Amino acid sequence: MTNLQSDHLQKRIFSGIQPTGNLHLGNYLGAIKNWVNLQNDIYSIFSIVDLHAITVPQEPSKLKSSTHEVAAAIIASGIDTDKSILFNQSSVKEHAELAWIFNCVCRIGWLNRMTQFKEKAGKNRENATVGLYGYPVLMAADILLYKSTHVPVGDDQKQHIELARDIASSFNNMFTSDEEDDFFDLPEPQIIGEATRVMSLRDGTKKMSKSDASDASRINLTDTAEEISNKIKKAKTDPHPLPDNIEELKERPEAHNLMSIYSSLSDQTLEKALIEFSGKGFSYFKPRLIDLAIETLSPISREMRSLLKYRNEIDKILKNGEQKAKEIAEPVLKDVKNLVGFVN
Ligand code: TYM
């Protein structure tokens, strides 16, 4: 078997998170919690995607401290940096280089379909940066630079991973002569668990997001027990008791959201969690959700605070991750450049 063939059989995870503002419960349940479980079975690479962060204006000094905070949150949640790679994206220049090559593979029509760009650019589309428009191309480069096969993310990233598959497939068609020589495997999204799309606590039809103006809409990983408790107490609900079936629950966005959060935090299916609460009102359910959220998140925020006292240590961890990431990325980019026909 050639090296390339054996490389195709190897499973490898890549996922990323932006260093912008506070990480919230959606980031934790939709992504980081799954990363922690998966790292034991599949070789994993996690990146703090600072090149993606600058697609919208950033304050340079805040970007640096957000990068530290996100690294601390990932480690405090249980990512073992002896086992998995953790680094910041801009430190491995191959991401930007591969993104350029993919810019010449990806079609404008494909990017025009991206719903996240439409949401983020809003009405002021003409004023959005070219970087924001090309954001999913860089994401494809992140994933494929490591020939990753699995991409654990929240539901909102699914369309971007489908684009990465289109880019991989198109690259294979353009630069390899038959299927057996395909250079890239098509990466699979892994959208796992009961909280793949955590919604705002103030409006169950809107995604929980870092950019929501209302801090009460989200639970931040840095929130105190008191803040978590107050936010859940004030979370929007409806006047009915909890139902005994998922179909009915799904028609009640706020109830569905809070129950999904509960089942994900307690590692059980939504069906099972419903058995515990069907027929009960929110005055019974909310205190139990509060206890569970505090029990899960408090140790993480405590550990984060303690890690953040030693930012030099975080820098060392990221540097080490950078070196390990480069060992994989450099030869892959070299092969890509050969296939494209560059003299290198
Ligand atoms: P970002 O930083 O917006 O979010 C990081 C991860 O958190 C998930 N997430 C959610 N999951 C459930 N409910 C929510 N409300 C919620 N909000 C966020 C996201 O799905 C994501 O998994 N483009 C990516 C970062 C990225 C990336 C990559 C991911 C860059 N390159 C390559 C995977 C592979 C982003 O902006 O995530």
Side-chain angles (χ1 to χ4, degrees), residues 277-343:
F277 294 108
S278 85
K280 303 270 191 342
F282 287 99
S283 57
Y284 178 86
F285 169 72
K286 275 188 172 179
R288 281 152 185 87
L289 177 60
I290 290 171
D291 285 349
L292 186 56
I294 292 174
E295 194 186 302
T296 312
L297 299 182
S298 292
I300 297 178
S301 55
R302 207 177 309 124
E303 178 66 11
M304 252 182 93
R305 275 195 297 277
S306 119
L307 288 167
L308 282 167
K309 284 189 203 136
Y310 306 98
R311 288 179 186 248
N312 288 348
E313 291 303 312
I314 297 179
D315 285 337
K316 274 190 209 152
I317 290 173
L318 293 177
K319 192 82 199 152
N320 188 257
E322 169 196 327
Q323 273 150 8
K324 290 196 265 178
K326 278 183 176 161
E327 278 170 29
I328 307 173
E330 282 170 359
V332 172
L333 187 73
K334 199 167 175 24
D335 287 348
V336 167
K337 288 169 94 172
N338 276 333
L339 285 170
V340 171
F342 291 144
V343 175

Side-chain angles (χ1 to χ4, degrees), residues 19-38:
T20 41
N22 274 331
L23 291 194
H24 53 70
L25 190 62
N27 299 128
Y28 178 69
L29 296 179
I32 303 174
K33 183 174 189 240
N34 296 325
W35 300 356
V36 172
N37 291 332
L38 290 162

Side-chain angles (χ1 to χ4, degrees), residues 80-98:
D80 176 352
T81 53
D82 288 330
K83 219 186 270 174
S84 305
I85 296 178
L86 178 66
F87 72 106
N88 62 309
Q89 183 190 30
S90 65
S91 67
V92 179
K93 64 180 174 29
E94 283 74 11
H95 287 253
E97 215 172 327
L98 185 59

Side-chain angles (χ1 to χ4, degrees), residues 15 48 57 61 64 89 92 104 117 123 169 185 188 213 242 269 291 311 315 323:
S15 201
I48 302 162
S61 63
K64 215 169 254 176
Q89 183 190 30
V92 179
C104 305
F117 173 73
K123 289 198 188 94
S169 163
D185 287 331
E188 297 281 345
L242 286 155
T269 60
D291 285 349
R311 288 179 186 248
D315 285 337
Q323 273 150 8

Side-chain angles (χ1 to χ4, degrees), residues 151-165:
V151 191
V153 281
D155 180 68
D156 61 338
Q157 297 300 317
K158 193 169 171 210
Q159 194 185 34
H160 289 161
I161 296 166
E162 278 157 10
L163 183 90
R165 291 169 64 89

Side-chain angles (χ1 to χ4, degrees), residues 201-213:
L201 299 180
R202 310 300 296 159
D203 176 354
T205 63
K206 256 173 66 185
K207 198 178 68 171
M208 184 178 284
S209 138
K210 292 170 193 168
S211 54
D212 195 316

Side-chain angles (χ1 to χ4, degrees), residues 216-279:
S217 70
R218 61 182 164 262
I219 293 176
N220 303 304
L221 294 190
T222 47
D223 281 347
T224 61
E226 200 186 347
E227 283 166 327
I228 295 174
S229 172
N230 286 336
K231 286 178 180 178
I232 296 179
K233 275 186 199 149
K234 286 197 199 123
K236 191 175 167 201
T237 52
D238 58 43
H240 309 291
L242 286 155
D244 62 3
N245 65 83
I246 301 222
E247 289 68 40
E248 243 181 82
L249 185 69
K250 279 189 177 158
E251 278 162 25
R252 295 165 52 188
E254 284 80 21
H256 184 217
N257 187 38
L258 294 179
M259 277 302 302
S260 302
I261 293 173
Y262 184 89
S263 51
S264 177
L265 284 171
S266 59
D267 286 318
Q268 52 181 338
T269 60
L270 202 47
E271 282 93 342
K272 198 140 178 256
L274 262 189
I275 296 173
E276 196 182 339
F277 294 108
S278 85

